Amino acid sequence: MYGRERRRHITDVLAASGRVSVTDLASGLDVSAETIRRDLSTLEAEGRLERTHGGAVPVLPGGRTERTLDARRGENVAAKQAIGRAALGLLPDAGGSILLDAGTTTARLAEALPPDHDLTVVTNSVPLADSLHRAGTDRLHLLGGQVRGLTGACVGVPVIRALDAIRVDVAFLGTNGLHGERGLTTQDPDEAAVKTAMCGAARRVVVLADSAKIGHEFLVGFAPLEAVDVLVTDAAPTGPLADALHEREIEVLLP
């Protein structure tokens, strides 16, 4: 197989699975790992993927620039739906309480919430609150503050103060990046501050992140891996992140 054909195969696999592994590609194509690494470097230079430790992930649309909620809704839809359904098994018993972070993956969990499950739902997301209200959620609390136009999330001191005053059973958080060393990261400092407060407001912290987030790190860290109890994702982490999760005894739940 010529180099151009190999690289086309790599981009096809990446588009289908959301990430590629040097080891798997080398084995599947019967070439050396070094050959695959050169191919990945070439594709990265062309702007067609982003290298990670041991493989590569898709280039985020718009690069490191934060994208609108509407722009992100259509990305990795099947994976996010599967993650949302899998997270249902982590809901507290009837009468319990949950915290839903703003985001497109947490939105999939919100859509899947059973109407007859007796829960108190707290969120800082205006779109999620609207959706849950329309679905007939009785005990729904919206954390009010400044609304960010890009994400529809309420941020600022009033949100953080409200989070400091509550203690929910489970917090379901989204993240832009999930990294073995830096932990959980995002682009905006205000949203990062709210996410940090959410971790402190819950007895159990569950992160919902599709595999395209794995290996990425962004401007602001909001929680170390130690703050996480469960990671729900669509593909098993590998390499340093897998080692870091294992060392910290963080449960990884796959659909």
Side-chain angles (χ1 to χ4, degrees):
M1 184 181 287
Y2 293 110
R4 182 175 296 178
E5 294 173 305
R6 227 178 21 247
R7 290 188 286 274
R8 184 182 302 117
H9 172 80
I10 291 171
T11 56
D12 288 345
V13 173
L14 184 61
S17 63
R19 64 183 293 107
V20 290
S21 158
V22 170
T23 302
D24 291 343
L25 288 171
S27 175
L29 294 171
D30 195 23
V31 296
S32 69
E34 188 56 36
T35 296
I36 294 300
R37 291 190 187 97
R38 286 197 297 269
D39 286 336
L40 294 181
S41 294
T42 298
L43 291 168
E44 185 176 52
E46 294 173 354
R48 301 173 70 185
L49 54 75
E50 182 172 341
R51 294 286 303 276
T52 63
H53 183 83
V57 294
V59 173
L60 293 175
R64 297 279 172 178
T65 303
E66 190 175 11
R67 303 182 311 286
T68 65
L69 194 63
D70 286 340
R72 291 185 285 117
R73 281 196 179 106
E75 297 171 3
N76 302 322
V77 174
K80 292 176 182 179
Q81 288 175 331
I83 289 168
R85 290 191 297 268
L88 291 175
L90 302 172
L91 292 175
D93 293 336
S97 56
I98 65 172
L99 181 57
L100 288 179
D101 186 15
T104 56
T105 311
T106 51
R108 297 302 181 178
L109 170 58
E111 292 170 0
L113 287 176
D116 57 347
H117 197 92
D118 182 22
L119 286 176
T120 295
V121 182
V122 184
T123 184
N124 71 318
S125 168
V126 174
L128 284 191
D130 179 63
S131 174
L132 290 165
H133 172 68
R134 291 174 184 273
T137 303
D138 288 330
R139 298 203 306 276
L140 174 64
H141 299 265
L142 175 61
L143 301 170
Q146 178 184 351
V147 180
R148 294 195 69 225
L150 279 175
T151 62
C154 294
V155 297
V157 173
V159 179
I160 294 172
R161 284 179 177 167
L163 287 166
D164 287 344
I166 65 173
R167 186 79 165 167
V168 299
D169 293 311
V170 186
F172 293 95
L173 271 67
T175 184
N176 295 96
L178 180 63
H179 193 272
E181 294 181 3
R182 285 205 65 207
L184 308 176
T185 59
T186 192
Q187 289 114 320
D188 182 72
D190 290 330
E191 290 217 32
V194 171
K195 290 174 183 287
T196 299
M198 286 181 169
C199 291
R203 296 181 179 88
R204 198 177 194 205
V205 175
V206 177
V207 173
L208 310 182
D210 64 84
S211 55
K213 311 288 175 42
I214 291 176
H216 287 290
E217 52 180 315
F218 290 87
L219 178 66
V220 189
F222 65 86
L225 290 180
E226 288 84 354
V228 179
D229 295 294
V230 185
L231 167 65
V232 187
T233 186
D234 59 303
T238 58
L241 177 60
D243 294 340
L245 294 168
H246 178 73
E247 289 170 6
R248 293 160 177 79
E249 299 182 344
I250 297 169
E251 180 185 352
V252 177
L253 178 62
L254 302 175

